[in-house]
Amino acid sequence: MSIFSTEVFKGKHALVTGATGGIGYETAKGLSAMGTDVTITGRKEDVLNDLKDEILKDVSDAKINIVVADLADASDREKLVQSAENSFGPVSLLVNSAGMTGGGVLEDLTQEELERVMHLNFTVPILLTQRLYDSMKKNKEGAIVNVSSLSGLRGTVGGTAYVGSKFALNGFTQSFALEAIEHNIRVNAVCPGFVDTKMGRDGIKSKGERHGRSFEEQLKIENESLPSGRISTPEDVANTILFLLTDAAENIVGEAVIISGGSLMR
């Protein structure tokens, strides 16, 4: 059930990266339902087209711009920004949702894998945000949400690359928030625990394998370990992102909002 008005973001332009993943997918749907013109990007054109079709079923006059891009590539990032601005004008709402898992225990971690994870999860959001920052400053408005992780707040076995990248993303969020708020631009992060997405399910499967358990057994353990009794859904995370983008969150600055079913209390 939505608590958001269909007029909240009327006339604004949002850019959602990682829109082919569960969290980005649901966030893009929510933004469109709130009146936003949305540019969506990811590497899977078929999923982006499915997302556009799904949005248009619910919001027949929605304005959706699809850009297939690999954000790890500088030329693709520039193509994305140019297409977004040419389609709907300056971006005032940015959701950095693109990311990846990867790595392993330290003795198995290669430099190539470490750099690949750090580049997409940490460097790319910075460079894309930097590219859009000037227009936000000129217009004296903006809101940015970085999709981090509970793993950006505590370590995990085999998490050197992924956990390190999310700790770094939270550091960027806090540092940039101090700079951007002077220009009426708010920057925050969300830090989900396990989410019912492909990435989340893969993480649960890997954790189960380390302990000799099936995916189903490990999922049951994860659900039962939480005060809420379940891992988060993509909609749980998307709704928090949407709230942070609205003026209702105008005094929330540089925060890392945890969405984990109460896991930190156990």
Side-chain angles (χ1 to χ4, degrees):
M1 180 178 68
S2 175
I3 62 170
F4 302 109
S5 164
T6 58
E7 301 291 322
V8 171
F9 294 134
K10 205 73 175 176
K12 293 186 182 295
H13 179 193
L15 170 57
V16 180
T17 73
T20 54
I23 293 171
Y25 197 98
E26 293 300 327
T27 300
K29 286 171 57 180
L31 283 164
S32 294
M34 295 164 76
T36 329
D37 300 339
V38 183
T39 292
I40 53 176
T41 187
R43 291 180 297 174
K44 300 174 182 176
E45 186 173 10
D46 57 334
V47 180
L48 292 173
N49 284 322
D50 288 344
L51 173 55
K52 181 176 181 178
D53 290 343
E54 192 170 337
I55 288 172
L56 290 172
K57 285 180 184 178
D58 295 330
V59 186
S60 60
D61 61 345
K63 295 181 180 178
I64 311 295
N65 176 39
I66 288 178
V67 184
V68 180
D70 178 359
L71 296 185
D73 183 273
S75 61
D76 271 19
R77 291 196 301 274
E78 184 59 28
K79 177 185 75 172
L80 168 63
V81 173
Q82 291 289 343
S83 175
E85 293 180 341
N86 289 340
S87 296
F88 302 136
V91 172
S92 60
L93 305 172
L94 172 62
V95 180
N96 285 310
S97 185
M100 63 175 292
T101 57
V105 294
L106 187 64
E107 57 264 37
D108 296 333
L109 183 62
T110 65
Q111 180 175 341
E112 180 184 13
E113 180 74 354
L114 174 63
E115 291 176 349
R116 191 166 70 98
V117 174
M118 288 296 295
H119 183 63
L120 184 60
N121 289 358
F122 174 59
T123 306
V124 165
I126 292 175
L127 295 176
L128 181 59
T129 301
Q130 184 183 53
R131 179 63 178 79
L132 297 168
Y133 186 41
D134 277 348
S135 63
M136 289 186 182
K137 282 199 297 184
K138 287 176 185 176
N139 293 322
K140 286 288 184 182
E141 71 163 356
I144 299 167
V145 177
N146 296 318
V147 178
S148 183
S149 171
L150 193 60
S151 295
L153 300 171
R154 63 183 185 187
T156 62
V157 174
T160 295
Y162 180 72
V163 171
S165 71
K166 293 300 186 177
F167 263 84
L169 185 62
N170 287 341
F172 163 59
T173 299
Q174 291 188 10
S175 296
F176 182 48
L178 293 172
E179 302 170 14
I181 196 61
E182 296 183 10
H183 305 284
N184 195 38
I185 301 163
R186 290 182 302 102
V187 183
N188 289 288
V190 292
C191 294
F194 279 126
V195 182
D196 188 16
T197 62
K198 182 183 183 305
M199 184 183 292
R201 290 187 292 272
D202 287 347
I204 292 170
K205 181 181 178 183
S206 295
K207 187 174 181 179
E209 288 172 349
R210 291 199 302 271
H211 297 283
R213 303 185 187 112
S214 69
F215 167 78
E216 290 75 17
E217 290 170 332
Q218 190 63 44
L219 176 60
K220 185 173 185 291
I221 289 170
E222 297 301 329
N223 283 329
E224 291 179 350
S225 72
L226 297 172
S228 69
R230 65 170 179 84
I231 64 172
S232 298
T233 66
E235 292 87 350
D236 290 330
V237 183
N239 283 338
T240 305
I241 293 170
L242 295 172
F243 167 70
L244 290 172
L245 293 173
T246 70
D247 290 342
E250 66 179 356
N251 206 35
I252 300 178
V253 177
E255 300 290 354
V257 180
I258 298 169
I259 310 158
S260 70
S263 68
L264 293 187
M265 295 185 289
R266 287 282 174 87

